[in-house]
Amino acid sequence: MKKYDVAIVGAGPGGIYAAYELMKKNSKLSVVVLEAGHSLEKRHCPIDGKKIKSCISCKSCSIMSGFGGAGAFSDGKYNITNDFGGTLYEYIGKEEALSLMRYVDEINMENGGEGTRLFSTAGTKFKKLCMQNRLKLLDASVRHLGTDINYVVLENLYAKLKDQVEFILIVRWKRWKSWRMMASISIPRKKISMRINALSP
Ligand SMILES: Cc1cc2nc3c(=O)[nH]c(=O)nc-3n(C[C@H](O)[C@H](O)[C@H](O)COP(=O)(O)OP(=O)(O)OC[C@H]3O[C@@H](n4cnc5c(N)ncnc54)[C@H](O)[C@@H]3O)c2cc1C
């Protein structure tokens, strides 16, 4: 049985940046990412408006699943704020949370996002206008990559990761023998078994 030091479930942003960080911190670690969806280039929704007009419930939804996760084809807006969009700061504090968001932004800039605009509400005329009218404008910076650059960043991250991190795609979890955790997963043309010591459920 092949052994890995770390198994990451899901190749959304959470899984991708976790793998990226592990690769950077310790190049000797063997890391596997198990993803239920397709690779980025194979992610296609079959709805074409002619033959297929609405969702046919594919086994793996290419809009929500696959390398890049749920927002792979989104507008690529990365919010740098504690004011909305998550509660990470409750665990690690606001400063640390912001610094991690900026760190992810740096990674994106190094991987194809350079030249894109970082917008901010701080010190804007609009903020002043809101204050004058007793409205609270939430504080945020937002990196707007846009759909095309977001895709390029994901492609570049995959290119960097693929030699060091193993990606197993179209994972189907078949059977759980116990809570922590023996799982048999099948991927096209192969069937492999895995024992995973889970860090969290
Ligand atoms: C249309 C759309 C547009 C969006 N636009 C933005 C935006 O502009 N800005 C923004 O900040 N956020 C946006 N979001 C939200 C953002 O995409 C999510 O917050 C982000 O993707 C969450 O990352 P994640 O890694 O936690 O989870 P996900 O991106 O959901 O990734 C989880 C991955 O795990 C896989 N998976 C799940 N269960 C299993 C399993 N049992 N075995 C194997 N694999 C599994 C899934 O297939 C998926 O690929 C958007 C979301 C959508 C749907």
Side-chain angles (χ1 to χ4, degrees):
M1 192 188 296
K2 190 163 179 184
K3 286 194 171 175
Y4 298 94
D5 298 313
V6 182
I8 297 171
V9 178
I16 293 171
Y17 294 111
Y20 188 93
E21 194 60 7
L22 287 168
M23 181 190 82
K24 228 175 102 177
K25 288 260 158 71
N26 186 349
S27 58
K28 287 187 186 131
L29 276 182
S30 62
V31 179
V32 64
V33 179
L34 304 161
E35 166 56 53
H38 293 277
S39 59
L40 191 57
E41 70 278 8
K42 285 196 181 154
R43 288 182 64 173
H44 298 293
C45 173
I47 298 175
D48 59 6
K50 292 172 193 158
K51 270 191 181 167
I52 301 179
K53 293 203 167 96
S54 59
C55 180
I56 54 166
S57 302
C58 300
K59 264 190 180 169
S60 159
C61 169
S62 277
I63 299 295
M64 296 301 287
S65 288
F67 186 87
F73 305 115
S74 76
D75 197 20
K77 287 201 185 78
Y78 280 72
N79 296 306
I80 301 173
T81 182
N82 287 309
D83 275 7
F84 55 87
T87 54
L88 179 64
Y89 65 89
E90 287 178 6
Y91 304 92
I92 60 173
K94 288 193 169 177
E95 275 313 306
E96 180 65 9
L98 280 178
S99 102
L100 284 175
M101 290 177 228
R102 291 193 193 103
Y103 177 57
V104 165
D105 186 52
E106 278 168 28
I107 295 172
N108 289 345
M109 293 308 99
E110 285 163 16
N111 286 283
E114 72 282 358
T116 53
R117 290 185 68 188
L118 182 68
F119 297 91
S120 173
T121 55
T124 58
K125 275 188 204 162
F126 192 54
K127 173 125 188 160
K128 198 171 156 192
L129 190 67
C130 287
M131 283 162 81
Q132 285 163 351
N133 290 281
R134 292 190 198 159
L135 292 170
K136 178 173 163 45
L137 183 65
L138 299 176
D139 282 325
S141 296
V142 56
R143 171 74 62 184
H144 185 199
L145 292 179
T147 308
D148 295 347
I149 304 286
N150 193 42
Y151 191 92
V152 169
V153 169
L154 288 171
E155 276 182 323
N156 289 340
L157 286 170
Y158 179 74
K160 270 195 187 162
L161 288 169
K162 71 176 174 21
D163 293 334
Q164 235 173 290
V165 174
E166 186 163 353
F167 285 89
I168 301 181
L169 301 160
I170 320 292
V171 163
R172 298 279 171 265
W173 299 88
K174 289 282 186 200
R175 145 174 75 91
W176 300 80
K177 275 195 179 160
S178 71
W179 178 232
R180 71 165 34 240
M181 228 183 247
M182 176 74 169
S184 163
I185 60 175
S186 69
I187 52 174
R189 289 184 295 280
K190 264 198 243 175
K191 191 161 191 198
I192 57 173
S193 289
M194 249 180 211
R195 182 176 293 121
I196 299 176
N197 291 314
L199 290 177
S200 65

